[in-house]
Amino acid sequence: MRRVLRVAGLALMTLGAGGAVNQKWLAKVPAADRAAVNPYRGQAEAIAAGQRLFEDHCAACHGKDLLGRHGKPSLRTPVVQGATDGELFWLLKNGYQRHGMPSWSNLPAPERWQIVAYVKSLGQK
Ligand code: HEC
């Protein structure tokens, strides 16, 4: 019984520390997608457009500050900020639905690149 409680306690601690994020999606990204170049990288207008798109589509789960909410992960972690633009673009296209991250393949590709430019513009926190 004690051991069960301890295991449950550890599971709760892991959840408390920013949600039970799985991150196995990263290993699924094909090399060509990983290396794809963001046509909008660092462009102020595209970043501003990405912010508006993020607030419409992503903030409900990841927070307006991207720090995560209600057990959904922060996007300002070393893993997300250290991912290539191509990896993030791939995730937005494919989603990771089994783990609660929807696909955004219905958004046009330029909009997905703008969102990636915005996410990366913020850096780690
Ligand atoms: C319905 C809630 C929801 C919405 C809306 C949503 N996400 Fe997510 N997202 C998640 C969840 C849950 C995960 C964690 C998946 C996992 O366990 O790896 C996630 C994971 C991610 C990750 C990977 C985080 C990591 O550490 O591996 C990124 C990047 C991401 N989302 C970006 C976005 C962007 C950009 C949008 C808007 C286009 C968005 N998400 C919209 C729920 C959501």
Side-chain angles (χ1 to χ4, degrees), residues 20-23 25 54 57-58 61-62 72-73 75 80 88 91-92 96 99-102 104 115:
V21 60
N22 168 296
Q23 291 173 336
W25 63 270
F54 188 93
H57 300 294
C58 322
C61 285
H62 293 289
K72 311 288 194 302
L75 305 182
V80 173
L88 296 175
L91 177 66
L92 293 189
Y96 194 26
H99 295 270
M101 168 64 183
W104 300 92
I115 294 173

Side-chain angles (χ1 to χ4, degrees), residues 52-69:
R52 288 191 293 274
L53 290 163
F54 188 93
E55 284 167 8
D56 285 350
H57 300 294
C58 322
C61 285
H62 293 289
K64 219 178 155 178
D65 52 10
L66 283 73
L67 292 174
R69 34 190 321 230

Side-chain angles (χ1 to χ4, degrees), residues 3 11 17 32 34 53 66 97-98 101 123:
R3 205 149 141 230
R34 206 177 283 278
L53 290 163
L66 283 73
Q97 319 226 27
R98 282 195 359 219
M101 168 64 183

Side-chain angles (χ1 to χ4, degrees), residues 28-58:
K28 298 176 197 249
V29 185
D33 294 272
R34 206 177 283 278
V37 172
N38 188 345
Y40 297 111
R41 173 155 219 169
Q43 295 176 22
E45 255 175 53
I47 290 171
Q51 176 169 12
R52 288 191 293 274
L53 290 163
F54 188 93
E55 284 167 8
D56 285 350
H57 300 294
C58 322

